[in-house]
Amino acid sequence: MPATIRDVARASGVHISTVSRTFSAPHLVNPETRVRVLACAEDLGYRPNRAARALITGRTHNIGLIIADIANPFFPPLIKAAEGQARHRDYHVFVADTNEDAAAEEELVHALAKQVDGVLLCSPRMSNSLIEQVSREVPVVVINRHVAGLPCVVMDVGQGARSAIEHLLGLGHRRIALLCGPRGSWTNREIRRAAGAAARSGGAELTLLGPNPPTETGGGAQAEQVCRSGVTAVLAYNDLMAIGLIEGLDQLGLRVPEDVSVVGVDDIALSRLTRPKLTTVATPTAAAGRTAVDMLLQHDSEPRPRGGGRAVVVGDRRTTAQVMLQTELVIRDSTGPVPGSGRTRPGGLPDGPGPHRRADPGGPAGTTGGVVAS
Amino acid sequence: MPATIRDVARASGVHISTVSRTFSAPHLVNPETRVRVLACAEDLGYRPNRAARALITGRTHNIGLIIADIANPFFPPLIKAAEGQARHRDYHVFVADTNEDAAAEEELVHALAKQVDGVLLCSPRMSNSLIEQVSREVPVVVINRHVAGLPCVVMDVGQGARSAIEHLLGLGHRRIALLCGPRGSWTNREIRRAAGAAARSGGAELTLLGPNPPTETGGGAQAEQVCRSGVTAVLAYNDLMAIGLIEGLDQLGLRVPEDVSVVGVDDIALSRLTRPKLTTVATPTAAAGRTAVDMLLQHDSEPRPRGGGRAVVVGDRRTTAQVMLQTELVIRDSTGPVPGSGRTRPGGLPDGPGPHRRADPGGPAGTTGGVVAS
DNA sequence: TTCTTCGCTGCAAACCTTTGCAGCACGAGC
DNA sequence: GCTCGTGCTGCAAAGGTTTGCAGCGAAGAA
């Protein structure tokens, strides 16, 4: 039923190759012929069949985006940014959700491999060696994880965690808990490493709680543990857990920030809407999505050798750039001076705008510039 | 580089058609041959090329999911459910975001048409006639909108709005505002219609505010207007707007629910996390996603005529089922008795669990069953 | 022995497009 | 008049798979 290139050719009285060229190499066809063909195509509602084109060009003009959990509000802005950037370059995005399951991840990469030109692996739960393995099947850009030899986009959560701990130290906290994220998360390891170092050099004690699922429930479930441990401040793996924790603490009768200070990571939209508003480490998620698409497509736009002969590999051309995007601590209302210290907030007035304090609206500014590490 | 069916055939010493049959019609090939072929395939890491298969079968095993705004937390659960259901049936989902733009929607349907077997149009902003038009190009199931002659999945927001208004009437409110959603939204019209009727029959006055963008910002921007209008309760188009409104009212010094009661629609996860927790009309989003996929694929699993000859159309086989899913009012903390009435909450104690009151965790129960309307 | 039947396998067309190559007409230069 | 170049178009192969049809060998029936 849908018009093919042949229908257009018949209607305009030319060969199909001329129709093809009308679209893919217009300068090669006589202007008069061109307008005639275009008119017929328009008339028949012809649209080239991308699948058939992919068969011969080897380019599908699709990219796969594999996500641990779409329902986690951290991801949608990233997806949206990636999708926009891809569309800009005439690419479509296939989004797949793995439910935080490593096996599902692998399965999906395989299933997608043949119908996409590359895959964005977002916060993968797979092992590094498995990632390397699948990357031999299809070009891959990894987001939120560092894998040697593969193009990666990561956020500098280490720096963020350090800032968060220093912020808490400055408020007088010396007993701090780290609410860990899921096992296998690179981000989790980074945060733990940096927070541990910062706490140590500040003379504070850091209690590790977890691993936990990176959800509100995961955070809430640790409320009692936090309570029992006697810490006065908590750095959570992400905002969702921080919010769940605040909720859980509330039910135990502990108030935030009066009794316990809580810091999250990510700066999801939600963190501005809860009460108290969440102090958190803002990560440039949208920029990460855009950057990853660019890296994938840059590597991808090199012409692919064609024909039956074996491709000549001109050395390993993989430009394994690794980009690290900067993070920024955003101080809101979920952190305060250590209880019983008589201190006030560093900004002066208990609720006044402090030095780092940020107005409500507006996304992370100045976080789009990346540091190229390698 | 990736192994093709030909490589497997060569390795196992059979014709490619036998390899093909090994996968698509195993009962037609000798068990011995089968195991040999499977072993070779496994060995070479062969995966059938879905694009090539699509070319001949006319089935891509992909479905498109067109969403107004991924970043709106209403959608991710729907996407996730649709994706899971699709994967169950060996389908993949391409998600596309239109930024609430009707033109982008149309463009995307066209772009996707050839590489998917059908499209899920989710809360479309296009006109009905345009939807009908694109539905001639590719099978379509519409979600959150009623379009005559097309398969649709809608939520009974009318019933939900009625319950919400009745709940407010029961609390003594007689001056109520309706915070409208975006122009072109079917849901918006339904809510307006049902809320208007319910208010009228309850002797209350309903003030319409809007249209507004369906976001926190959109809700917050109307706070002043709400304040000035002197209403004591507000029903918002969705939770996001309700939350934004509460935020805005708070900044104007009005407290919820003491000064103003607010009801949302959707019951997004977020509505349990804000303070006060939101009273809202729960919509079965996940069920909607699953149902829509089922409707699309049921209609799709009918064998497609093949060969050069023109297809014989056996009457219009489009089973244009229209499913309406039930909604449920969830009473939480953002609604209370009209100010100065001396009333208490209907449950008895000001904060005790009322009859409809629901415990925190757990999704909407009993909302998966649908009412088939036609 | 001859004829069927049956189970399995091979053959080749078809799906829709891209692209290197060849062919054609025409004008210019010699 | 012949050659050459140029601008445009047609031809046909290729890409990976599915599938109707035919063929083949063996077993069973007559």
Side-chain angles (χ1 to χ4, degrees):
Chain A
M1 193 66 214
T4 77
I5 201 173
R6 231 171 295 271
D7 299 323
V8 179
R10 205 175 314 129
S12 47
V14 298
H15 195 259
I16 54 165
S17 52
T18 304
V19 179
S20 174
R21 275 188 279 258
T22 303
F23 291 98
S24 52
H27 60 281
L28 288 181
V29 18
N30 188 319
E32 282 180 41
T33 318
R34 198 179 349 175
V35 299
R36 189 154 36 97
V37 170
L38 285 176
C40 289
E42 172 74 30
D43 213 42
L44 294 165
Y46 168 74
R47 308 234 163 203
N49 183 328
R50 293 173 85 123
R53 172 185 295 174
L55 199 54
I56 189 157
T57 61
R59 295 263 97 97
T60 62
H61 269 245
N62 292 129
I63 75 183
L65 179 49
I66 295 187
I67 298 275
D69 179 13
I70 289 187
N72 181 335
F74 169 78
F75 292 109
L78 192 154
I79 300 173
K80 198 162 175 142
E83 225 238 331
Q85 190 76 354
R87 195 179 321 166
H88 237 215
R89 295 166 162 255
D90 193 26
Y91 271 71
H92 286 294
V93 173
F94 296 12
V95 180
D97 182 300
T98 67
N99 285 311
E100 301 261 351
D101 178 15
E105 254 173 28
E106 190 190 353
E107 172 57 27
L108 274 168
V109 177
H110 286 137
L112 246 45
K114 286 285 190 359
Q115 44 190 348
V116 299
D117 295 341
V119 169
L120 263 35
L121 235 42
C122 206
S123 306
R125 303 291 179 242
M126 284 193 271
S127 69
N128 276 13
S129 61
L130 205 48
I131 294 179
E132 280 176 51
Q133 190 183 315
V134 303
S135 80
R136 280 196 290 273
E137 192 173 346
V138 58
V140 161
V141 171
V142 184
I143 303 177
N144 270 352
R145 174 122 155 209
H146 178 98
V147 181
L150 251 46
C152 302
V153 179
V154 296
M155 327 268 195
D156 195 352
V157 284
Q159 170 59 39
R162 207 171 309 127
S163 305
I165 296 292
E166 281 163 7
H167 166 61
L168 293 173
L169 290 170
L171 290 166
H173 297 277
R174 288 298 175 272
R175 304 186 60 189
I176 304 175
L178 178 61
L179 210 52
C180 296
R183 203 187 303 278
S185 157
W186 177 87
T187 300
N188 191 46
R189 279 200 303 280
E190 283 300 294
I191 292 178
R192 196 172 56 207
R193 204 175 45 70
R200 214 172 309 124
S201 76
E205 183 188 338
L206 190 73
T207 311
L208 264 45
L209 264 35
N212 307 288
T215 61
E216 308 128 53
T217 318
Q222 289 283 3
E224 207 166 324
Q225 199 63 35
V226 166
C227 196
R228 201 176 309 141
S229 68
V231 300
T232 62
V234 181
L235 170 60
Y237 169 74
N238 69 9
D239 286 352
L240 232 37
M241 292 178 67
I243 290 165
L245 174 65
I246 292 176
E247 189 66 22
L249 291 174
D250 187 67
Q251 282 176 13
L252 296 174
L254 282 181
R255 286 170 313 161
V256 174
E258 292 81 356
D259 300 318
V260 181
S261 286
V262 175
V263 182
V265 174
D266 286 349
D267 195 24
I268 59 178
L270 172 50
S271 63
R272 274 191 286 273
L273 296 173
T274 54
R275 227 164 287 168
K277 293 176 186 165
L278 198 62
T279 294
T280 185
V281 175
T283 53
T285 23
R290 282 193 298 271
T291 306
V293 167
D294 282 344
M295 287 169 68
L296 190 63
L297 262 36
Q298 157 208 332
H299 177 240
D300 203 62
S301 57
E302 299 162 8
R304 231 186 62 151
R306 196 183 150 259
R310 278 285 152 257
V312 181
V313 179
V314 195
D316 190 346
R317 296 277 265 91
R318 285 202 303 212
T319 50
T320 55
Q322 311 221 326
V323 172
M324 180 172 278
L325 300 172
Q326 293 174 331
T327 60
E328 185 193 5
L329 181 66
V330 179
I331 299 175
R332 297 205 184 90
D333 307 334
S334 66
T335 48
V338 65
S341 71
R343 294 192 196 210
T344 62
R345 287 169 156 276
L349 290 171
D351 216 357
H356 289 244
R357 200 156 266 271
R358 174 196 286 184
D360 246 4
T367 45
T368 49
V371 176
V372 176
S374 150
Chain B
M1 194 68 212
T4 79
I5 200 173
R6 232 172 292 273
D7 299 323
V8 179
R10 205 174 314 130
S12 46
V14 298
H15 194 260
I16 55 165
S17 53
T18 303
V19 178
S20 174
R21 275 188 279 258
T22 303
F23 291 99
S24 53
H27 60 282
L28 288 180
V29 19
N30 187 317
E32 282 179 42
T33 319
R34 196 180 348 175
V35 299
R36 189 154 36 97
V37 170
L38 285 176
C40 289
E42 172 73 31
D43 214 42
L44 294 165
Y46 168 73
R47 310 236 162 202
N49 183 328
R50 295 173 83 124
R53 172 185 296 172
L55 199 54
I56 189 156
T57 61
R59 296 265 97 97
T60 63
H61 269 243
N62 291 129
I63 75 184
L65 179 50
I66 295 186
I67 299 276
D69 178 13
I70 289 188
N72 181 334
F74 170 79
F75 292 110
L78 193 154
I79 299 173
K80 196 160 178 147
E83 224 238 332
Q85 190 77 354
R87 194 180 321 167
H88 238 215
R89 294 165 162 257
D90 194 26
Y91 271 70
H92 286 293
V93 173
F94 295 10
V95 180
D97 184 299
T98 68
N99 285 312
E100 301 262 351
D101 177 15
E105 255 173 26
E106 191 190 352
E107 171 57 27
L108 273 168
V109 177
H110 286 137
L112 245 44
K114 284 287 188 359
Q115 43 190 349
V116 299
D117 296 341
V119 167
L120 263 35
L121 234 43
C122 206
S123 305
R125 304 290 178 243
M126 284 192 271
S127 70
N128 276 13
S129 61
L130 205 49
I131 294 179
E132 279 175 51
Q133 189 184 315
V134 303
S135 80
R136 279 196 290 273
E137 191 174 346
V138 59
V140 161
V141 172
V142 184
I143 303 178
N144 271 352
R145 174 121 157 212
H146 178 98
V147 181
L150 252 43
C152 301
V153 179
V154 296
M155 327 270 196
D156 195 352
V157 283
Q159 169 58 38
R162 207 171 307 126
S163 305
I165 296 292
E166 282 163 6
H167 166 61
L168 293 173
L169 290 171
L171 290 166
H173 297 277
R174 288 298 175 272
R175 305 186 59 190
I176 304 175
L178 178 61
L179 209 52
C180 296
R183 202 185 303 279
S185 157
W186 177 87
T187 300
N188 191 46
R189 281 200 302 279
E190 283 301 294
I191 291 177
R192 196 172 55 208
R193 204 175 44 71
R200 214 172 307 123
S201 77
E205 182 187 339
L206 191 72
T207 311
L208 265 44
L209 264 36
N212 309 287
T215 60
E216 309 127 52
T217 319
Q222 289 283 4
E224 207 165 325
Q225 198 62 34
V226 166
C227 196
R228 201 175 309 143
S229 69
V231 299
T232 63
V234 181
L235 171 60
Y237 169 75
N238 68 12
D239 287 351
L240 233 36
M241 291 179 66
I243 290 166
L245 174 65
I246 293 176
E247 189 66 22
L249 291 174
D250 186 67
Q251 283 175 14
L252 296 173
L254 282 180
R255 284 170 316 159
V256 175
E258 291 81 355
D259 301 318
V260 181
S261 285
V262 175
V263 182
V265 174
D266 287 348
D267 194 25
I268 59 178
L270 172 51
S271 64
R272 274 191 286 276
L273 297 173
T274 53
R275 228 166 285 169
K277 293 176 187 168
L278 198 62
T279 294
T280 185
V281 176
T283 53
T285 23
R290 281 193 298 270
T291 307
V293 168
D294 281 345
M295 288 169 67
L296 189 64
L297 262 35
Q298 157 207 332
H299 178 239
D300 202 64
S301 57
E302 298 162 8
R304 231 187 61 153
R306 195 181 153 260
R310 277 286 150 258
V312 180
V313 179
V314 195
D316 190 346
R317 296 276 266 92
R318 285 201 304 208
T319 51
T320 55
Q322 310 220 326
V323 172
M324 180 172 277
L325 301 172
Q326 294 175 330
T327 60
E328 186 194 3
L329 181 66
V330 179
I331 300 175
R332 297 206 183 92
D333 308 334
S334 67
T335 48
V338 65
S341 70
R343 292 194 197 209
T344 62
R345 286 168 156 277
L349 289 172
D351 216 356
H356 289 245
R357 198 155 266 273
R358 174 196 284 183
D360 244 4
T367 44
T368 49
V371 177
V372 176
S374 149

